[in-house]
Amino acid sequence: MNVFQSLKSSGAELNSVVYNTVLDACVECSKLEKAEAWMEQMKKDGMSDVVSYNTLIKAHLQAGHMGKARALVEEMRVAQLQPNCITFNEIVNATVSSPDRRVRAEVWKVIQEMQAAGVKPNQVTCSILLKNLNGSSPESDINHTMQLINDMEEQLDEVLLSSVVEACVRIGKPDLLNTKLRQLMSGDIKVNGSHTFGSLIKAYGHARDMKSVWRCWKEMRTRHIKPTSITVGCMIEAVVSNGDPDGAWHLIQELGEDPHCKGILNAVIYCSVLKGFTREKNAGKVWSVYEEMQKRNIDLSIVTYNTLLDCCARCCRMDGVPDILADMKKANIKPNIITYSTMLKGHCQVGDLSAAFKLVKEMREEAGLVPDEIMYNSLLDGCAQSSLVDEGLRVLREMEEAGVKPSNFTLSVLVKLMSRARRVDQAFDLVKELSGKYHLSPNSHVYANLVQACCFSKQLQRGIKTLEEMMERKVQPDKRTYSMLFRTAVQQCQFDKVDGLMRGALGLSGALPFLSNRSLATCPGIEEVAVSETLSSMASSPEGNKVAAGLLVDLRKEKPSVRVDPTVQRCVLQGGQPPQSWTQERRSSKGKGRALVFAP
DNA sequence: GTAGGGTTAG
């Protein structure tokens, strides 16, 4: 205001740009009333224009006042000022980022309104819409947004390219991500920003395309585009999550020797590699990374410490916990609920439930924290792992009394708890009771565990009945669900059941009637695991082999694209015995005995 | 002078 006044008194000619700058200053400082008063002044001085209105609209939207923003758009029209692309983009942005689901659902109406006003959606509009897409977005929203991008007159720019790949990653459909990456990268958009390189590296990482990840990284480096901490964070995370923490660690050390880059290494970057070594259960390497972080004077956050504690938990090295807690204390960082929850999981992992319960007590007393849903889930899971049914039920009651709402995750853990104790009826009862009480619709994980409970106690028919219920409730089964049913049916020599189930799972003719809805009954990835596994295990009895042969013939006829291992084909079609390695069950490396691994 | 993009923990 002072600068404006001195400009005015200097006698210089004032224009709307100067007035608008003052208005924006009010808005950026969240002085809504001042902004409104200033706008009135501008109108009096004849200085208000489209930009002024857009700026004031921004202020109302920041304050969450969609109605006031709308009223200003009307006022613009009355004042013969046409709302432009920026006006509508502000409204679109506020719509998609509204906390209210009903407002978010209105976004396509706003777009229509924009088009009706003769304003074409542009790159900015599209990137705003993309921000709204995630794993639970309806197919129609995804298609609609992508169509709008295709229909756009302008070329894609760098920000939009980055927004598209980011959205594809969040949506989580690998095919879509791959298609878009290919489509975008075949165009001639020159990538210059470290932002964009970060997004691309992340996207290629999710697509498991490490060749392209490294290609992007090297291109960025050879063109001397300086990565930021976040770019490096994306890169290290991509390398680690594709199973190469050593490669990531090597890259960090290389950057640490580069005088231009060593300053950008931060705790987030180190965190990814800590996580990677933890997954490999290599506590030794975790400690050496931690040592180097300390040597380099990296600022550690609560996240870093929690990651280190997670290493202790997952590597079953709870002896390392006291040192880390002491370091936290030295750094003046207070443990939060995640800290306690991580340690709790570690105690559960090694079957030390009394330490787990003691920790909860400590947390309440020393930190004044109360357990949340995730913590209760971990406790329940610990009880399930240790087959402590009554303790588990007590935890559930406590959870309810504390007003912590169970989720489907909770239900799935409870089913596991009951399943272990062979209390199949109670597993079903609990799901029924809690899903009613808390308005939950059981998801595929809950059902998978129910099916597992049935199979575990040799109640094949009940397992199949549960699958039927899944179809009625429109829940798509996963590979595990089918795999358990196939295996149990084969063990019980119920080959007609195997036949009907397998045809349903693969979308072949002759499926059990309730599996006739193909898009619901089939499940991606079923071919690789269940077909080879089940067909070969059936081949060892003549009756089973007959069914297996029929399945194989129809599979090749109706789904020629499905690849079946030649060894399996030979042993089924020639009626031979499968090689030893195909029928031998092996426990998965985690020792939880869930997945069956067959070594060809 | 007004609108859009990237990283870590239970």
Side-chain angles (χ1 to χ4, degrees):
Chain A
M1 285 302 182
N2 283 339
V3 174
F4 180 85
Q5 286 310 331
S6 70
L7 180 64
K8 192 174 175 185
S9 49
S10 77
E13 196 193 330
L14 299 173
N15 60 16
S16 56
V17 176
V18 178
Y19 275 83
N20 281 335
T21 314
V22 174
L23 181 63
D24 194 51
C26 297
V27 175
E28 290 300 314
C29 296
S30 301
K31 302 279 190 240
L32 187 52
E33 281 173 20
K34 234 183 180 130
E36 284 186 300
W38 186 251
M39 184 71 172
E40 288 311 308
Q41 185 64 48
M42 287 177 73
K43 283 185 207 163
K44 256 186 232 151
D45 296 349
M47 290 294 182
S48 62
D49 63 5
V50 176
V51 174
S52 331
Y53 276 97
N54 286 345
T55 306
L56 197 57
I57 288 170
K58 176 175 75 172
H60 287 305
L61 293 173
Q62 271 172 6
H65 303 144
M66 180 65 90
K68 288 224 173 120
R70 287 290 197 174
L72 275 172
V73 175
E74 280 319 303
E75 193 186 314
M76 279 172 89
R77 290 193 167 117
V78 173
Q80 299 285 319
L81 294 170
Q82 288 317 308
N84 65 10
C85 204
I86 295 175
T87 320
F88 282 104
N89 283 341
E90 286 180 322
I91 306 273
V92 174
N93 188 47
T95 307
V96 303
S97 38
S98 164
D100 187 341
R101 206 166 41 87
R102 286 162 307 183
V103 174
R104 291 201 300 275
E106 298 281 287
V107 61
W108 297 110
K109 273 195 194 154
V110 180
I111 298 289
Q112 269 177 10
E113 202 185 319
M114 179 176 189
Q115 288 165 326
V119 179
K120 290 200 174 103
N122 67 357
Q123 293 141 327
V124 179
T125 323
C126 292
S127 67
I128 293 169
L129 291 171
L130 285 162
K131 196 166 59 172
N132 193 33
L133 299 179
N134 58 44
S136 46
S137 296
E139 197 89 20
S140 59
D141 277 7
I142 299 171
N143 293 336
H144 208 147
T145 308
M146 296 302 173
Q147 195 54 48
L148 216 55
I149 295 169
N150 289 339
D151 294 346
M152 210 177 44
E153 282 168 1
E154 297 113 316
Q155 251 277 319
L156 285 194
D157 66 5
E158 210 175 319
V159 177
L160 185 50
L161 177 137
S162 147
S163 305
V164 172
V165 298
E166 286 290 331
C168 290
V169 168
R170 281 195 311 275
I171 291 166
K173 297 209 169 86
D175 290 345
L176 180 69
L177 177 61
N178 281 313
T179 310
K180 285 288 159 190
L181 276 171
R182 244 178 289 124
Q183 188 187 325
L184 294 168
M185 299 317 275
S186 64
D188 47 12
I189 311 168
K190 182 86 170 161
V191 174
N192 290 315
S194 56
H195 259 88
T196 322
F197 275 110
S199 299
L200 281 173
I201 286 168
K202 187 169 93 178
Y204 280 125
H206 276 264
R208 325 227 66 126
D209 179 355
M210 288 315 285
K211 240 174 91 184
S212 301
V213 166
W214 285 105
R215 198 192 63 231
C216 280
W217 175 258
K218 291 196 170 123
E219 185 188 334
M220 183 183 71
R221 297 290 280 157
T222 46
R223 286 173 54 204
H224 300 291
I225 294 165
K226 194 185 166 192
T228 67
S229 294
I230 299 179
T231 322
V232 177
C234 291
M235 181 63 190
I236 296 299
E237 180 66 19
V239 177
V240 168
S241 56
N242 280 278
D244 185 16
D246 281 311
W249 182 223
H250 188 235
L251 182 59
I252 289 179
Q253 285 172 319
E254 211 177 280
L255 291 168
E257 283 157 24
D258 179 339
H260 300 292
C261 288
K262 67 175 177 199
I264 64 180
L265 293 178
N266 65 14
V268 177
I269 296 165
Y270 282 95
C271 238
S272 291
V273 77
L274 287 172
K275 180 178 69 182
F277 286 134
T278 297
R279 299 253 155 99
E280 288 187 340
K281 302 233 186 293
N282 194 337
K285 284 218 171 118
V286 170
W287 306 144
S288 60
V289 173
Y290 183 36
E291 247 171 56
E292 172 142 341
M293 292 171 79
Q294 289 168 320
K295 230 188 298 169
R296 283 193 179 274
N297 258 325
I298 302 284
D299 275 330
L300 304 188
S301 72
I302 180 102
V303 179
T304 327
Y305 288 108
N306 289 345
T307 306
L308 288 164
L309 289 167
D310 189 56
C311 170
C312 300
R314 288 183 196 263
C315 298
C316 297
R317 290 289 308 269
M318 294 304 281
D319 57 308
V321 168
D323 281 349
I324 297 167
L325 289 179
D327 289 351
M328 271 177 95
K329 201 163 189 176
K330 242 188 284 168
N332 244 326
I333 293 178
K334 277 207 181 72
N336 63 12
I337 190 146
I338 300 182
T339 316
Y340 284 101
S341 187
T342 306
M343 292 190 285
L344 180 133
K345 219 184 61 178
H347 291 309
C348 291
Q349 180 96 5
V350 294
D352 190 353
L353 267 285
S354 68
F357 284 111
K358 206 177 125 207
L359 192 70
V360 177
K361 191 162 171 270
E362 246 174 61
M363 181 182 83
R364 290 183 195 273
E365 288 165 1
E366 289 168 19
L369 297 168
V370 290
D372 63 1
E373 188 219 318
I374 300 180
M375 197 163 202
Y376 279 115
N377 290 343
S378 300
L379 257 180
L380 287 169
D381 195 51
C383 293
Q385 300 285 348
S386 298
S387 299
L388 297 170
V389 184
D390 295 330
E391 284 80 353
L393 288 172
R394 218 168 352 205
V395 170
L396 172 65
R397 265 198 300 277
E398 188 192 310
M399 181 181 186
E400 293 193 85
E401 273 160 24
V404 177
K405 191 185 157 198
S407 69
N408 268 325
F409 196 104
T410 320
L411 290 190
S412 74
V413 176
L414 287 169
V415 173
K416 197 165 69 177
L417 179 75
M418 293 304 143
S419 170
R420 294 228 157 181
R422 298 284 201 282
R423 299 197 196 171
V424 187
D425 289 332
Q426 213 176 341
F428 279 90
D429 290 346
L430 270 175
V431 171
K432 195 172 169 199
E433 178 206 323
L434 296 171
S435 59
K437 192 152 49 162
Y438 298 100
H439 308 291
L440 298 167
S441 19
N443 63 15
S444 63
H445 300 288
V446 177
Y447 277 115
N449 286 2
L450 282 172
V451 169
Q452 184 177 43
C454 298
C455 291
F456 205 43
S457 51
K458 304 200 168 27
Q459 301 182 31
L460 176 64
Q461 197 46 48
R462 194 172 193 179
I464 296 175
K465 195 93 191 85
T466 306
L467 183 66
E468 186 170 356
E469 189 183 318
M470 292 177 79
M471 293 297 113
E472 284 160 9
R473 304 266 182 95
K474 304 271 178 278
V475 178
Q476 189 176 36
D478 59 8
K479 284 191 291 194
R480 194 162 71 89
T481 305
Y482 274 121
S483 172
M484 288 180 300
L485 288 168
F486 294 157
R487 199 178 345 146
T488 308
V490 170
Q491 274 166 4
Q492 300 185 3
C493 297
Q494 305 223 28
F495 297 116
D496 56 328
K497 292 279 174 10
V498 183
D499 190 65
L501 287 168
M502 182 103 81
R503 285 171 186 276
L506 293 165
L508 301 179
S509 55
L512 286 173
F514 68 83
L515 292 174
S516 58
N517 179 346
R518 288 195 182 177
S519 60
L520 188 63
T522 55
C523 104
I526 185 87
E527 302 86 8
E528 303 104 72
V529 197
V531 173
S532 299
E533 181 185 304
T534 311
L535 287 181
S536 55
S537 64
M538 285 161 84
S540 45
S541 84
E543 200 192 334
N545 195 67
K546 223 168 81 186
V547 174
L551 269 164
L552 198 52
V553 168
D554 285 351
L555 181 63
R556 292 212 293 205
K557 195 159 53 186
E558 296 176 37
K559 296 242 161 150
S561 62
V562 174
R563 212 192 68 85
V564 180
D565 191 290
T567 325
V568 178
Q569 294 204 29
R570 219 176 308 124
C571 90
V572 169
L573 295 176
Q574 297 171 1
Q577 289 293 311
Q580 181 73 48
S581 58
W582 279 101
T583 50
Q584 199 170 37
E585 279 187 19
R586 296 202 197 153
R587 295 284 162 195
S588 72
S589 59
K590 277 182 167 176
K592 289 187 181 169
R594 279 206 202 109
L596 286 176
V597 182
F598 289 82

